[in-house]
Amino acid sequence: VADALLDMLAGAMAQLRVGDPACFDTDIGPVIDAEAHATLERHLARLHREARLIARTPMDEQPGGHYIAPIAFEVARVAEVTEEVFGPVLHVVRWSGDPAALVAQINALGYGLTFGLQTRIDSRAERLAAQARNARSSHFQQSAPISWSIRQNRSASSAFARPKPVKDWLTT
């Protein structure tokens, strides 16, 4: 399952366009400033040494701005993601076993803005989202013809559910 998913991820990343956010066909614009760019470049240098590159979005030379092409790496363990990264960098960890143990490993990092889970089992989603210690949890349940998107913003103590057509869920 993981290999097929990573192949699809690489294909999707190849379709992204990095560039000026004022252009309609741009998917990814620059990072916020030179300091953020330098931090990401240092992080990427470490990942190139210690992780396996999955895919990188092609990027033409960009005039001005601080651009980082979306990139994905596979790391061996959750604990190898040693710092919170604010940029188009995806860390992938393969795992098997009890998902609650994985959530505990993620919680042990001490940071995290979002927690996402895709499952058709509501009780699992609720249990794991309650276990996650981050600012926002999302559960995506695919069913026909409606996919429910449930988000929980812990900092605002709010929750909402809204119907979303499956075709929209598959393309966003």
Side-chain angles (χ1 to χ4, degrees), residues 40 43-44 47 68-73 85-91:
L40 286 168
H43 184 73
L44 291 175
L47 288 173
I68 299 284
I71 191 166
F73 286 92
V85 177
F86 294 98
V89 179
L90 177 64
H91 304 83

Side-chain angles (χ1 to χ4, degrees), residues 12-171:
M13 290 177 67
Q15 300 300 312
L16 294 174
R17 181 170 164 83
V18 178
D20 182 348
C23 296
F24 183 73
D25 62 346
T26 295
D27 297 302
I28 306 291
V31 297
I32 194 164
D33 59 24
E35 181 180 350
H37 186 270
T39 299
L40 286 168
E41 287 292 348
R42 284 190 301 275
H43 184 73
L44 291 175
R46 182 180 70 81
L47 288 173
H48 279 290
R49 289 188 311 271
E50 300 174 7
R52 184 182 75 81
L53 177 66
I54 296 169
R56 182 174 194 140
T57 296
M59 183 173 74
D60 297 330
E61 186 73 26
Q62 295 298 324
H66 307 286
Y67 292 89
I68 299 284
I71 191 166
F73 286 92
E74 183 174 341
V75 296
R77 298 175 304 120
V78 170
E80 292 179 21
V81 185
T82 58
E83 62 184 308
E84 195 162 26
V85 177
F86 294 98
V89 179
L90 177 64
H91 304 83
V92 175
V93 178
R94 294 178 194 234
W95 65 276
S96 63
D98 180 13
L102 180 65
V103 173
Q105 292 174 38
I106 294 167
N107 287 341
L109 295 173
Y111 62 83
L113 292 177
T114 61
F115 170 78
L117 172 68
Q118 180 179 338
T119 181
R120 290 180 286 170
I121 305 169
D122 288 337
S123 60
R124 174 183 284 178
E126 291 166 4
R127 184 180 75 252
L128 294 173
Q131 182 186 351
R133 301 291 174 237
N134 52 34
R136 187 177 317 154
S137 296
S138 299
H139 159 225
F140 301 100
Q141 176 186 7
Q142 183 178 352
S143 59
I146 299 291
S147 174
W148 286 91
S149 174
I150 300 172
R151 291 185 179 232
Q152 211 173 31
N153 185 332
R154 294 187 194 284
S155 60
S157 299
S158 64
F160 67 88
R162 63 182 170 87
K164 185 175 180 183
V166 171
K167 68 176 181 58
D168 292 343
W169 179 80
L170 294 173
T171 60

